Amino acid sequence: MTYIGKPKNHHPALERNKIGLTRRDYEGTISTLCAGCGHDSISAAIVDACFQLNISAHKVAKLSGIGCSSKSPSYFLNQAHGFNSVHGRMPSVATGANLANKNLIYMGVSGDGDTASIGIGQFMHAVRRQVNMVYIVENNGTYGLTKGQFSATNDLNSKNKYGDENLFEPIDLAKMAIQLGAGFVARSFSGDKDQLIPILKAAIEFNGFALVDIISPCVAFNNHAGSTKSYDYVREHNESVSLLDFVPSKKEITTKYKSGQRTNVKLHSGAYISLKKIDKKFNPTNKNMVLDKIYKAEDQGNILTGLLYINEKVREHCNIMNVTDTPLNSMGSKELLPSRQNLKAVNASFR
Amino acid sequence: MTYIGKPKNHHPALERNKIGLTRRDYEGTISTLCAGCGHDSISAAIVDACFQLNISAHKVAKLSGIGCSSKSPSYFLNQAHGFNSVHGRMPSVATGANLANKNLIYMGVSGDGDTASIGIGQFMHAVRRQVNMVYIVENNGTYGLTKGQFSATNDLNSKNKYGDENLFEPIDLAKMAIQLGAGFVARSFSGDKDQLIPILKAAIEFNGFALVDIISPCVAFNNHAGSTKSYDYVREHNESVSLLDFVPSKKEITTKYKSGQRTNVKLHSGAYISLKKIDKKFNPTNKNMVLDKIYKAEDQGNILTGLLYINEKVREHCNIMNVTDTPLNSMGSKELLPSRQNLKAVNASFR
Amino acid sequence: MKKITSVNDFVIKFANVNGSGSASANQMFAKGIFRYGVPVSPKNIFPSNIQGLPTWFEVRVNDKGYLGRRAGIDIAVPMNPQSYNKDIAEVNAGGYVLYDSSWKRNFNRNDITIIELPITSLCIAEFTNPKQRQLFKNLVYVGALAYLLDIPKEIYIKLIKEQFIGKEKLIAPNVKAFNIGFSYAKKHFQGLCDIKVKKSNLTKNKILINGNEAAGLGCVFGGATVCAWYPITPSTSLAEGFTRYCNQFRVDQVTGKNNFAIVQAEDELAALGMAIGANWNGARAFTATSGPGISLMNEFIGLAYFAEVPVVIFDIQRGGPSTGMPTRTQQSDVLLCAYASHGDTKHPLLFPADPKECFEFAALAFNLADRLQTPLFILSDLDIGMNDWMVPELNWDNFDEFDRGKVLDAKALDKIDKFGRYQDVDNDGIPYRTYPGTHPKKGAFFTRGSSHDAFAAYTEDGVVNAENLSRIKKKIDLSPNYLPKALTKQDRNFSEIGILYFGSTEVAMQESLDLLAKDNKPCDAMRIRSFPFGEEVWNFIDAHKTIFIVEQNRDAQLKTLILAECKTNHKKLKSILCFDGSPITANFISLSIKQHLGNKTLKKVARK
Amino acid sequence: MKKITSVNDFVIKFANVNGSGSASANQMFAKGIFRYGVPVSPKNIFPSNIQGLPTWFEVRVNDKGYLGRRAGIDIAVPMNPQSYNKDIAEVNAGGYVLYDSSWKRNFNRNDITIIELPITSLCIAEFTNPKQRQLFKNLVYVGALAYLLDIPKEIYIKLIKEQFIGKEKLIAPNVKAFNIGFSYAKKHFQGLCDIKVKKSNLTKNKILINGNEAAGLGCVFGGATVCAWYPITPSTSLAEGFTRYCNQFRVDQVTGKNNFAIVQAEDELAALGMAIGANWNGARAFTATSGPGISLMNEFIGLAYFAEVPVVIFDIQRGGPSTGMPTRTQQSDVLLCAYASHGDTKHPLLFPADPKECFEFAALAFNLADRLQTPLFILSDLDIGMNDWMVPELNWDNFDEFDRGKVLDAKALDKIDKFGRYQDVDNDGIPYRTYPGTHPKKGAFFTRGSSHDAFAAYTEDGVVNAENLSRIKKKIDLSPNYLPKALTKQDRNFSEIGILYFGSTEVAMQESLDLLAKDNKPCDAMRIRSFPFGEEVWNFIDAHKTIFIVEQNRDAQLKTLILAECKTNHKKLKSILCFDGSPITANFISLSIKQHLGNKTLKKVARK
Ligand SMILES: Cc1ncc(C[n+]2csc(CCOP(=O)(O)OP(=O)(O)O)c2C)c(N)n1
Ligand SMILES: Cc1ncc(C[n+]2csc(CCOP(=O)(O)OP(=O)(O)O)c2C)c(N)n1
Ligand code: SF4
Ligand code: SF4
Ligand SMILES: [Mg+2]
Ligand SMILES: [Mg+2]
């Protein structure tokens, strides 16, 4: 059911990217997740996205909380440092890490339990601070690792494996993030590689907080009839808001596409997001319109996917905080120590 | 600046309500808040609302977190039990209390620091559970008790007492609550008694989670020019969405008002909320429309106040959980103990 | 090669892949022996993972009632090629290996008997559905084992039938799978195995139950009506057990409504907050968690301590620190629970030793918490909580009204002049409380975590606050009056060596003592069941020259608590510590003590 | 009546209403004396409230350098009728009361001198603006006191001018208010007061600074670049101090950008999470909080401990438990910090005794945390943190590169074969680490709170995990090699009685020792500056017959830590405990010890 199995140690296609690496160089250790788990497809998509973007893996920091989803960072980018922190608290760790070195790419991977329950506060405040990171939620509507309890993203009346109905309304992280002012909010599906990879690429290039809420079915506990997070249900109710292409530079756009049916959004990095809209009137930079569109899809029982909202003008956290360009972690006593004179003045002020 | 000073021990108007109590019977101990603090006006409004609703004070449970605002429950309803819990965690305490005895009125009082920072997770989950309570946020955009740091509801670029600008977008608890499915969401202003008292009365009568986000200026730390939570600023930018009357029963509506310009919403208790709309097209039961209206007010630099959203069809937590009608705290061994026979069967199942 | 020969005394270990349904088959294997009247102790050693990783299931069979873990395997059933090496290496010389010989294998050990059962081939031959082929493998080896060990097949057939009540379609194929194994063994394995199970009556009036299940039921009997929890291994099944029994015994027959409320909270902070709110409002409420949850609950624990709100907290301990080993056992939250939260605090702890005590202590805990008006911890562990233990049947005799401790109702309030929530009326440090809504004029007070006087009013008078803190200290200092007393193994002390231990170590202790006695080192032993410690503990320490404190943690946490009370000489206390996450064994205990004692021979002399 | 007569030795106490601006006037009063060369120790005793409640300000003036709190007031300045009774009752016989006699009052004490200063009337007469009338009251009494005590008015006029740099308009009215008081006193109070301040040079090279300010500056010198915090009394001013000094010394002159990042987090969990994230990524980062914050940080503390991420945590202790007394001092988080988080953990603690040590330890802490790769706590308290203490000037000599401990850079990685994050390469328990982004091929590893092997790989092998835990224990056990050693008051032990103490108790200790010596009970004293304890502590304990452990908490937490190490006899340890939230006094210490010792006379004999 996953479009690709567990990352393999030997990959058939030894194609090399611009920095001379093969896809294999972006892989991680062998997954210990269930065969068919959506999370493994997401890991594979991350590998693809990083490979295609010619990223130096060691310039990525992978962070996560606790859960099956939060184990995923082991399964991609072996050459990147990883931090599997504590349940629901990855956002704060990422925030601190980001301040220490603004020059790495921060990839946070979390689950719906990890983010929407115990971690919702940290999530919201990371959004509010515009921490420059990709925040991936591997959303299966359940607590996989603790064996299938309802999570807070589970839909009202959706059933668990034992037939019990969920009694509460879901928390929609994408809507939350939009309301809180995140600059990049996308929703996707682990089973839709074609949609997911370009979204991940755009999210990585985006300068600011980029939420990618990915429905990622749990084959062990939430993939049955009656669940709204099963492969079948999501395939049937997936409503794509637009088709996204990630274009590394402007030049490539003009050669490839006619304008008109497309909107191009220029990112801070110089790359472009090219959106082929399905609903012509839809404007992903208009908060109200986006929320309205999501509500309407919900009313029709659909899950709106794709790049939902983008605001490339947001400033990211280090910028807001006026943090210097040199990574703080590389500064030594020369940059950081006040002088003898300084201390003398301080002493004088306490006389 | 507060419309009424600290609650006094001897009150001039010894008018009695239907259960024979005077307003004084609803007061608390003498406030230790700053003279002019908005929070004291809210305490006074709560006293008025309870007096007018003929509530038996001891059938109210007052709960709070930590902060100047969270001290308030001492200053009203002396005959009610109070629980000044820990910072940001009142919602969980209220949730548990509510399950133990569904027959009391639960009044939670919190601050913007208490709710929007440390407590945002518990707040959101209490909303999601539809805990049957009035949740009052005494919102001053600052941490009063710790001397004036920015809170998460402080507006972008609003200035603190020392002239520093707030660098982050605010969290709007009302919008959050609407999105999460709260049944009753109102915003008001501590300086507007006429608006506030009927809103509080309606919130108390409402069956489910009722958020009343009350802008309540902090005279010590956030009442200067440049602050968007000062008395002056709020007075100037207050845009009332409708005028609310709380009507104890249908009969009184028909005698008092002509229909047409008013919407009447029948509450679970049999009482009515009668809304005189300012914008004729505005429908407080339509989520999208409400959110849109709030965004539009924001765009114009205004603060939308009044009853923003109501959905009287929501089921409250005990109901969702199918909790029995007798308060759980009143059940004894007769109701609660399995029989010898039961235990025998259990033992047998483990052989 | 000398084969191991034994009746009703052996250890068998299954090695499987998790998520393959093996646990229930292995459990059934153990239960069959139990039904045959022979004591068993199954241990599930599973990964923190859902599917695909190695998992083990160890069953000790012992008719002396030695049911602690025992190292060394007599019969191995390695079903997971990933862990073959490790699994085979553990087998005792003379032992047996039953493996899936569909793929033949040379294990390079000629001191053991290899029994070849072509499980996969048999399943492929007999089942067509690939899922069934996989799933029924487990029953095939159970069938073979039944034959090898001489356990009547009817026992298992009955167990299969019971298991599939409501899913009767599944009975036939399961029985079939079992029979395949049994028949194949009968045909090919005759006389191969000298380890046997013989019918006995040692399990009469006994049950096989895990501690979380028992604790969940105990909460029902304790009168708990509100449970707020957050999923975490190994405590999850406690809340789930409580849920199941509530659904069974607490749904109003007429209205169909619940005489209980169980909330899956958003996290552990909220879970404890809800439990505190409910207790404050007069319901009996609890939460269940494990180490990380306790860490998160620290702030609320201090509030309940200082505001004197009763609340029961189950800590099903797992391997720490941090996320640690979520699926392994330890007794390593003792210190944190005892002193949880900032400022001066001390909390009563109960240490159940087995599922039966989980049941009893769970029920008792609500009385104790109400009596003491303080957070009360029940420190179980993964071994007790998630493994099935053989214990006497659960028993309940008290159908009186619950003892709610010092609570004033409206009538009582009418009689008193002025209610002071934190007054030490009875000179036992325990004040009186009221529930919200009790009385229109009297008894209302403000509960707070900030400093307060005897009337619950906020005070910044440091002396008044210190008085209140001293009263609380007195209350906790006197709590051993109410808590379960420590128990000794001997009627009367007779050795100069005493062993102190607690919790799940109990199951290994009798065997340890017997091993020591056999080695001319008879020792006395006392099991601590609660903290703060009662007089009997100090007397026991005083009565012995040397005290060994046996613990399943690295840092000698119980010993720390003993030292901290400043009542005993440090030199006589020696630690025996096991913290590798496996349940402690009698061998480890006795060997460690022997090492300390050297060649010394101890005499049995009656002591004070 | 015999008036108290003294020069440079008295206690004066102001009683005000908070939010009335009194604190800054009172501080100025104290600073004036300091500038005049006489040692002072001001203590602000304020409510947990913003406006309207009683607040006190105590200043001890003492040219022997006894700067601990002293009970008994020589001069009272009660400006708050609410607390008149209490304030007057505290005045020593022969003492003085200066009060606002605009409303005359009979205090019913004829053993004290009442000095009547019609402050309000004077202000009404001289100022028209009602706000000014209120605000300037404070300076009026400062002026009167300057006259009464013989402090040159120029000192205060200069202080006023300095205070209002940038707001020069305010200088004149402030000076005017001061002069009103001074002149009135000169006219009416001549000869009234026999307590005097005499110019001295005892404050040369000294500064008057609070511990939070000093610690904030220490963090700047320690190379901290990331601070994440959440407001909480009494720690808030530490983060604010750091912010101020960063803005002063760490803004790039060219770009105007910040060589630092300070985040007001959403709560304490997030604050510590950010600090951990930043440290993991190679920046020096810290958080500052108080008790409730430590409780909330428990889970993250365990993560940092087990994953071995350095992080510095300031705990400015206040009155616990729970919300407790947020504006009072205690040393009651010792136990929680030492063993914070579930599972087996133990954390190094530093105990600064005064603001100077706050500065030094703050800077040192970052080296230590990096060296030990573990969370490191600095346990200050409200008394040190928020009161101005007279200490020697701050001093800094080391402008070398920071000692980052065992960190491998790209070059170092190139040289080694295989990097093992948790290998005990140097046999000191301390492994090597790498920062993210260091090397394209080598040195990457996965940091986790779950069980891991020497190569940071996840493992469920309990033995491997236990080995790793044992290595961590070794690292912490060896940490006294790096931590600040305990200090003794005496060059050589000479008494059979030893006193152990720590932190802010220091300021009362010399006086206690002198009082004891005067009473023929000379004692030795050692100040513990860190945990785990070094050899010198055990030697000191061994060298004395009886050890008094002086603590500002209820439960003898430091003693518990000492007992827990299982190295000393419990019987020789006696606790002296003060937990009413006021800084401990020399009188209390010496009296308590005298009570224990009875009539015994001690001899001074040189001891080992
Ligand atoms: C503080 C804490 N509480 C509880 C747990 C137990 N726990 C582990 S994973 C998990 C939920 C994971 O759910 P989710 O984030 O949705 O991840 P999934 O496994 O579904 O991918 C929980 C509750 C924990 N590790 N820490
Ligand atoms: C766990 C914890 N952290 C921090 C504090 C300190 N603190 C007390 S009140 C407060 C903020 C209060 O702000 P708000 O809720 O807005 O109340 P206000 O005083 O503005 O009414 C803080 C941070 C605390 N009491 N507990
Ligand atoms: S339990 Fe669910 S979420 Fe976890 S690995 Fe298996 S399929 Fe994935
Ligand atoms: S500080 Fe602000 S919030 Fe607190 S009592 Fe004063 S005015 Fe009110
Ligand atoms: Mg999930
Ligand atoms: Mg506020």
Side-chain angles (χ1 to χ4, degrees), chain C residues 6-23:
Chain C
S6 103
V7 175
N8 292 352
D9 181 12
F10 62 92
V11 175
I12 180 169
K13 185 170 185 176
F14 302 87
N16 304 82
V17 173
N18 82 324
S20 68
S22 61

Side-chain angles (χ1 to χ4, degrees), chain A residues 32-35 66 68 71 85-87 89 113 117-118 143-147 149-150 220-221, chain C residues 46 48-53 229-233 236 240 264-269 296 322-323:
Chain A
T32 60
L33 304 181
C34 302
I66 298 287
C68 294
K71 289 181 180 181
S85 67
V86 283
H87 194 31
R89 314 295 173 189
S117 293
I118 191 167
Y143 286 27
L145 193 53
T146 54
K147 306 208 155 185
Q149 297 83 6
F150 287 123
F221 300 108
Chain C
F46 58 101
S48 177
N49 176 277
I50 302 306
Q51 194 193 83
L53 286 189
W229 67 293
Y230 188 71
I232 186 166
T233 310
T236 300
E240 288 172 347
Q264 183 188 315
E266 60 271 30
D267 61 19
E268 288 87 348
L269 294 92
L296 288 171
S322 196
T323 303

